[in-house]
Amino acid sequence: MASEKISSNLFWVGSHDPHLRRFDIVMETKYGSTYNSYIFESNGEYALIDGSKLGFEEEWLGNIKEVVAIEKISTMVVQHTEPDHSSAIAELLKINPNIQIYGSPLAMANLREIVNHPFNAHVIKDGEKITIGDDTLEFIVAPNLHWPDTIFTYIEKQKYLFTCDFFGAHICVEPMALSAIAQKKEYAESFKVYFDAIMSPFKPFVRVGLAKIRNLKIDYILNSHGPYLDSPEAIRNAQNLYQKWAEQPVRLRKKVTMVYCSNYGYTKLIAEAMAEAIKEYDVEFKMYDIVESATSDMVADIEDADGILFGSPTIVADVIRPVYDLMNELNPFVMMNKIAGAFGSYGWSGEAVGNLLTRAKQLKMKTIDDGFKVRLNPTADDLVKAKAYAANFVNGLY
Ligand code: FEO
């Protein structure tokens, strides 16, 4: 598959991965992906922006060579070092070890650990500019989009904005211009799935990233996965969708979400008693029996909550699996500093409650007590204590 000319001084030289079915191990990529890389030329000078993945270096380097001899490239910008964009750079350096590589401090540190060989590294600062021929490349620090190392690169005179993962989509297409692809429906689906999987844990950073580029004049958004955006409508649409998806809902009341499983109904009795107590407070409250509920609904209400109560009986000395499965859907970046509580009935030794809190701490949540557990069938007195536990939990949110 060949390089593509985007305009008189800009070329797509990335690689196609049509058979990719999982990204980052867990994200389904049913339409494959691309690892986009670009060459910008100005007055005989060449800059390469973004790299490719090891295993795809033959196509990547071959596409570069269609545009310019690799030895003639003076500059490379590494906007983000996740290995899908950086692991093939070592192969490039074998051909052109003199290339000057620019990136954030963390990107340069990461790249050292990926290339495992000396290279000419230049650490950039936010707003720093470098000259390529008659043009200026400006670096915009945009952390956590999708790693802390991420930067954007803007060429004001040409109205080119390079955004790496930001505004990407896992879909393998050819040609690479969004306006030219036939798979518009699949692209729209991929764009949303990609945002949910890659960007949504970093919504505050998405909002900052959008604000940083809001006033830029942009004719092309040159991302690193899927088609690049080449029309004012596509660029406006992408920005509007990201803005909408990254919105922080304004909530005037605290929110508690309870998720639980029950085997013989004992843990459910505790859950219901706690729910009764919580409803006495002026808080928003959502409650789910995990085995009867959609994971996406539960995750949405957990991520939106200030405090989460996890309930599980102890079965064979541990939390029951559906509760762990749900907790494994949660991202520490999103869960950080939310308050966790735990409860459950047990028959033998009652490890589940402690294990729930341990998992919550691994998710970087805060705990305010040791949880609440009852041996087998809760008595009326136990349910009074469950209510007191829940009341204390709600008070702990303030
Ligand atoms: Fe496409 Fe975060 O790498």
Side-chain angles (χ1 to χ4, degrees):
M1 296 180 202
S3 63
E4 292 182 24
K5 187 171 186 174
I6 299 170
S7 66
S8 60
N9 55 12
L10 184 64
F11 301 83
W12 181 93
V13 291
S15 43
H16 296 82
D17 189 355
H19 305 299
L20 183 76
R21 288 297 172 266
R22 296 237 157 239
F23 182 77
D24 280 357
I25 302 170
V26 295
M27 180 188 174
E28 188 189 12
T29 50
K30 61 182 177 181
Y31 303 121
S33 194
T34 62
Y35 310 112
N36 300 344
S37 173
Y38 302 92
I39 288 182
F40 173 66
E41 183 274 331
S42 180
N43 198 17
E45 281 191 47
Y46 293 86
L48 177 64
I49 296 150
D50 292 332
S52 187
K53 183 177 173 181
L54 202 60
F56 296 84
E57 65 275 14
E58 197 176 323
E59 183 186 358
W60 179 47
L61 299 177
N63 283 341
I64 295 172
K65 286 178 204 165
E66 287 181 4
V67 177
V68 61
I70 290 173
E71 296 83 349
K72 284 195 174 172
I73 301 171
S74 61
T75 302
M76 179 174 191
V77 182
V78 175
Q79 301 192 107
H80 166 40
T81 49
E82 189 167 5
D84 53 326
H85 307 291
S86 65
S87 55
I89 292 174
E91 301 307 306
L92 177 98
L93 289 169
K94 286 178 188 167
I95 303 169
N96 181 355
N98 299 320
I99 197 164
Q100 308 295 312
I101 299 187
Y102 292 78
S104 67
L106 186 57
M108 292 300 91
N110 289 349
L111 195 60
R112 264 183 219 108
E113 307 295 331
I114 290 168
V115 168
N116 288 334
H117 200 271
F119 60 90
N120 298 315
H122 296 264
V123 168
I124 64 92
K125 293 194 185 84
D126 194 20
E128 185 174 335
K129 296 176 181 175
I130 62 168
T131 300
I132 298 291
D134 298 331
D135 284 85
T136 301
L137 275 58
E138 179 178 352
F139 301 122
I140 301 168
V141 168
N144 295 320
L145 303 172
H146 133 251
W147 276 10
D149 61 343
T150 308
I151 62 170
F152 302 154
T153 303
Y154 183 53
I155 307 178
E156 184 177 9
K157 198 161 97 182
Q158 310 293 339
K159 300 181 190 159
Y160 298 158
L161 179 68
F162 300 84
T163 57
C164 203
D165 280 348
F166 207 55
F167 298 125
H170 283 311
I171 181 166
C172 188
V173 293
E174 196 175 13
M176 295 304 306
L178 179 58
S179 63
I181 68 168
Q183 310 97 309
K184 295 284 197 300
K185 188 162 153 282
E186 293 84 354
Y187 167 74
E189 179 194 341
S190 305
F191 189 73
K192 177 68 165 79
V193 169
Y194 181 96
F195 180 90
D196 289 344
I198 307 285
M199 294 295 158
S200 75
F202 308 104
K203 284 180 184 174
F205 296 94
V206 171
R207 296 194 292 273
V208 171
L210 288 170
K212 282 193 160 192
I213 64 171
R214 184 164 295 135
N215 296 323
L216 303 183
K217 290 186 169 51
I218 305 167
D219 281 350
Y220 291 92
I221 284 185
L222 302 143
N223 53 27
S224 64
H225 295 293
Y228 61 81
L229 313 184
D230 62 332
S231 71
E233 298 75 31
I235 291 168
R236 194 165 47 244
N237 183 51
Q239 288 176 314
N240 288 344
L241 287 175
Y242 265 40
Q243 192 73 49
K244 183 171 107 182
W245 295 334
E247 263 171 17
Q248 183 74 24
V250 177
R251 200 161 21 74
L252 300 176
R253 297 186 300 163
K254 293 283 186 186
K255 178 168 176 174
V256 175
T257 296
M258 176 193 288
V259 287
Y260 73 96
C261 277
S262 190
N263 189 9
Y264 291 106
Y266 301 153
T267 298
K268 182 175 184 171
L269 284 173
I270 300 169
E272 288 172 344
M274 288 186 172
E276 213 175 293
I278 293 167
K279 287 173 186 170
E280 295 288 315
Y281 287 82
D282 184 26
V283 294
E284 192 178 335
F285 178 56
K286 290 288 176 80
M287 178 177 181
Y288 292 98
D289 180 331
I290 292 173
V291 294
E292 293 177 358
S293 307
T295 300
S296 57
D297 292 345
M298 293 186 284
V299 169
D301 274 315
I302 288 171
E303 290 184 348
D304 188 42
D306 303 287
I308 298 94
L309 284 162
F310 298 97
S312 172
T314 300
I315 295 185
V316 200
D318 204 354
V319 172
I320 197 164
R321 185 172 163 178
V323 188
Y324 271 149
D325 286 347
L326 175 62
M327 295 179 98
N328 284 337
E329 295 288 325
L330 305 175
N331 185 313
F333 260 87
V334 178
M335 301 308 292
M336 193 179 294
N337 295 328
K338 293 181 187 290
I339 307 293
F343 62 92
S345 166
Y346 67 100
W348 308 342
S349 43
E351 290 90 341
V353 166
N355 291 351
L356 285 169
L357 293 175
T358 297
R359 179 66 188 131
K361 286 175 194 162
Q362 289 168 348
L363 289 167
K364 303 194 184 299
M365 300 179 72
K366 287 182 180 167
T367 58
I368 53 176
D369 52 46
D370 297 327
F372 180 80
K373 58 187 175 183
V374 172
R375 189 159 133 71
L376 295 169
N377 188 8
T379 63
D381 187 44
D382 289 330
L383 296 179
V384 169
K385 288 176 183 163
K387 288 181 182 178
Y389 175 88
N392 189 54
F393 180 80
V394 173
N395 287 322
L397 301 179
Y398 294 92

